[in-house]
DNA sequence: AAACCGGGGAT
DNA sequence: ATCCCAGGTTT
């Protein structure tokens, strides 16, 4: 811990945050409950995901899977279907594993302490801290990206958040601000401040309850915090698919588990040789994402190849589904968009 | 410690 | 085009 923070009492900062939160805190659906199941679901959904993006998924997920038992009993495919479009699909797979874990290891009762919650699949230090503080009042800071930003700015602290040890560092720092008995509310308050006021770029310092105490603001250096030296490496990924269509039916299959989009569905990545010759549309749909290039060629199978088409499903390499049925499977977003475009096509 | 895992919005 | 979001798991 840096010298300037030694023996300091920063409790008044936490209290100022709570006062601000009482007035300006966001009104979100999961703020109305302390059901650990619901808080857990929302913490997982909003990992690396903006509130706006995941809100609809949260509401529909809770409606379909209202408790641990219903999630544990569900088919994995249906859980993935409700996760469609959120990304980081292992979160959904882990979610269900953890639900089963709660049924078998905890007798169907959601664990009520940090260590037991941490033992759940897909639950790390942040999520365990969030659930145990919000639902069970445990005095633990839930240190996420918002904490890094808010705390590093308030103290003009140049500790590099790229380093793994910075989690413990900022956790200890957060403890100095956290009012006793208010851990859950305090954690939510920091998240809201980080999201709405102490934003990554163009922070609204004039509306910040901590402005007069903020070292970075006083120095005019808010843009310099948090310090993050590690740069996110952009890896290029090229994917080629064929949209093999026979009338209103297409070929799909489940992806393997060893790469992105694990257990989701996809199209063939080659034209099955048995179906040749085929009519292939010359203009390739080229989908550009941030670090991915995806091309999809449209393939129209000749009517006399019906037997060969069905043989692909008999052999187990592919499933044959109608365009409408395909939308009931969990596809990666770009493939889902492509199907939707084909359904809409005249 | 570093790589890997998505999709989307803001700038 | 780049950054980053209520991070966790694997190597």
């Amino acid at each position: 811990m840096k010298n300037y923070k030694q023996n300091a009492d920063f409790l008044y900062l936490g209290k100022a945050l709570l006062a601000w939160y009482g007035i300006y805190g966001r009104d979100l659906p999961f703020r109305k409950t302390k059901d650990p199941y619901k808080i857990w679901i929302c913490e997982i959904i909003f990992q690396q995901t903006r509130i706006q993006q995941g809100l609809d998924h949260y509401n529909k997920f809770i409606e379909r899977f209202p408790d641990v038992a219903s999630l544990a009993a569900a088919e994995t495919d249906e859980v993935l279907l409700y996760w469609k479009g959120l990304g980081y699909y292992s979160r959904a797979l882990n979610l269900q594993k953890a639900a089963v874990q709660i049924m078998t290891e905890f007798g169907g009762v959601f664990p009520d302490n940090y260590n037991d919650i941490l033992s759940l699949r897909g639950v790390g230090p942040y999520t365990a801290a969030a659930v145990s503080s919000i639902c069970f009042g445990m005095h633990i800071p839930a240190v996420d990206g918002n904490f890094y930003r808010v705390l590093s700015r308030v103290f003009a602290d140049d500790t590099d958040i790229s380093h793994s040890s910075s989690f413990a560092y900022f956790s200890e720092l957060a403890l100095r601000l956290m009012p006793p008995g208010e851990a859950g509310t305090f954690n939510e308050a920091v998240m809201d401040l980080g999201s709405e006021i102490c934003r990554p770029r163009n922070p609204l310092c004039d509306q910040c309850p901590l402005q007069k105490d903020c070292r970075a603001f006083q120095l005019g250096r808010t843009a310099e915090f948090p310090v993050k030296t590690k740069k996110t490496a952009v890896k290029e990924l090229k994917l080629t698919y064929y949209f093999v269509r026979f009338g209103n039916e297409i070929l799909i299959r489940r992806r393997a588990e060893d790469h992105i989009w694990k257990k989701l569905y996809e199209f063939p990545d080659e034209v099955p040789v048995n179906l040749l010759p085929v009519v292939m549309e010359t203009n390739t749909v080229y989908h550009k994402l941030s670090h991915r290039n995806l091309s999809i060629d449209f393939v129209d199978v000749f009517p006399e190849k019906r037997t060969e088409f069905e043989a692909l499903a008999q052999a187990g390499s592919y499933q044959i589904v109608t365009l409408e049925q395909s939308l009931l499977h969990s596809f990666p977003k770009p493939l889902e968009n492509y199907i939707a475009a084909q359904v809409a096509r005249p």
Side-chain angles (χ1 to χ4, degrees):
Chain A
M1 197 62 63
K2 299 193 189 315
N3 286 334
Y4 65 84
K5 284 195 289 293
Q6 281 185 357
N7 302 319
D9 175 19
F10 297 119
L11 208 54
Y12 70 100
L13 293 173
K15 290 177 179 172
L17 267 176
L18 289 179
W20 172 86
Y21 178 73
I23 302 171
Y24 300 103
R26 288 177 291 186
D27 182 24
L28 300 169
F30 40 86
R31 290 275 169 77
K32 300 167 185 164
T33 180
K34 291 201 171 185
D35 179 353
Y37 171 77
K38 294 195 176 90
I39 298 300
W40 169 52
I41 299 297
C42 103
E43 293 302 340
I44 301 296
I45 285 181
F46 293 112
Q47 282 171 10
Q48 299 294 289
T49 304
R50 293 173 191 281
I51 297 299
Q52 182 117 11
Q53 185 187 351
L55 217 43
D56 195 46
H57 283 85
Y58 170 78
N59 288 323
K60 288 178 176 168
F61 196 97
I62 290 297
E63 186 181 355
R64 170 60 187 88
F65 309 109
D67 49 36
V68 174
S70 59
L71 179 57
E75 295 287 336
T76 302
D77 272 1
E78 193 182 4
V79 179
L80 282 173
L81 196 58
Y82 276 79
W83 209 263
K84 186 160 60 177
L86 273 178
Y88 286 142
Y89 297 94
S90 61
R91 289 184 294 173
L93 303 176
N94 288 336
L95 211 48
Q96 205 199 9
K97 286 179 188 170
V100 172
Q101 205 180 335
I102 293 171
M103 298 304 288
T104 59
E105 297 177 19
F106 297 98
V109 180
F110 204 98
D112 64 354
N113 63 85
Y114 177 85
N115 286 325
D116 283 345
I117 296 172
L118 184 61
S119 75
L120 297 175
R121 190 82 173 142
V123 173
Y126 163 76
T127 303
V131 176
S132 59
S133 66
I134 293 171
C135 304
F136 304 109
M138 296 191 75
H139 196 72
I140 306 172
V143 175
D144 68 341
N146 292 305
F147 270 72
Y148 287 140
R149 192 166 54 255
V150 171
L151 292 177
S152 66
R153 282 177 178 166
V154 167
F155 298 110
D157 193 315
D158 62 359
T159 300
D160 186 359
I161 67 170
S162 308
H163 203 271
S164 57
S165 62
S166 61
F167 179 84
Y169 176 83
F170 282 107
S171 295
E172 187 180 340
L173 185 51
L175 269 176
R176 301 176 182 226
L177 315 194
M178 198 158 72
E182 302 278 4
T185 312
F186 171 79
N187 286 332
E188 292 175 322
V190 178
M191 293 173 203
D192 277 17
L193 189 81
S195 171
E196 301 199 310
I197 306 296
C198 198
R199 309 183 297 194
R201 278 169 292 201
N202 303 328
L204 306 177
C205 298
D206 289 343
Q207 301 175 36
C208 182
L210 307 181
Q211 189 195 75
K212 63 178 184 303
D213 299 292
C214 181
R215 283 293 291 155
F217 175 79
Q218 291 164 1
L219 299 168
R221 295 169 53 198
T222 55
E224 297 176 33
F225 302 97
V227 172
K228 185 180 180 183
T229 57
K230 198 194 82 176
K231 296 165 188 172
T232 47
V234 210
K235 207 187 79 173
E236 195 73 14
L237 178 61
K238 201 176 277 287
L239 290 165
T240 304
Y241 282 125
Y242 294 92
F243 192 75
V244 182
R245 186 167 173 180
F246 188 103
N248 196 36
E249 295 175 323
I250 61 171
L251 295 177
I252 65 172
R253 67 179 177 188
R254 190 197 293 279
R255 280 184 64 83
E257 299 191 35
D258 58 347
H259 195 29
I260 65 167
W261 299 334
K262 56 183 173 185
K263 298 196 79 169
L264 271 64
Y265 282 81
E266 66 179 352
F267 308 141
D269 60 359
E270 59 184 5
V271 181
V273 63
N274 290 353
L275 300 181
L276 296 174
V278 296
V279 179
M280 194 178 309
E281 222 170 74
T282 51
N283 64 334
T284 296
V285 171
Y286 203 64
H287 202 109
K288 289 178 180 148
L289 295 87
S290 55
H291 54 292
R292 253 194 292 291
N293 288 332
L294 170 66
S295 68
I296 306 175
D297 286 337
F298 185 94
V299 172
D300 210 5
V301 180
F302 282 119
E304 51 266 38
K305 295 288 185 180
R306 181 66 197 181
T307 305
E308 290 80 355
F309 187 74
E310 289 177 353
L312 292 167
Q314 300 287 345
S317 2
Y318 297 103
Q319 291 177 236
I320 297 175
V321 295
T322 66
L323 285 179
E324 291 72 20
Q325 285 170 342
S326 69
L327 290 175
L328 298 178
H329 293 73
S330 187
F331 283 91
K333 198 62 176 176
L335 303 190
E336 158 111 358
N337 291 343
Y338 185 82
I339 296 173
Q342 295 303 321
V343 170
R345 210 162 76 159

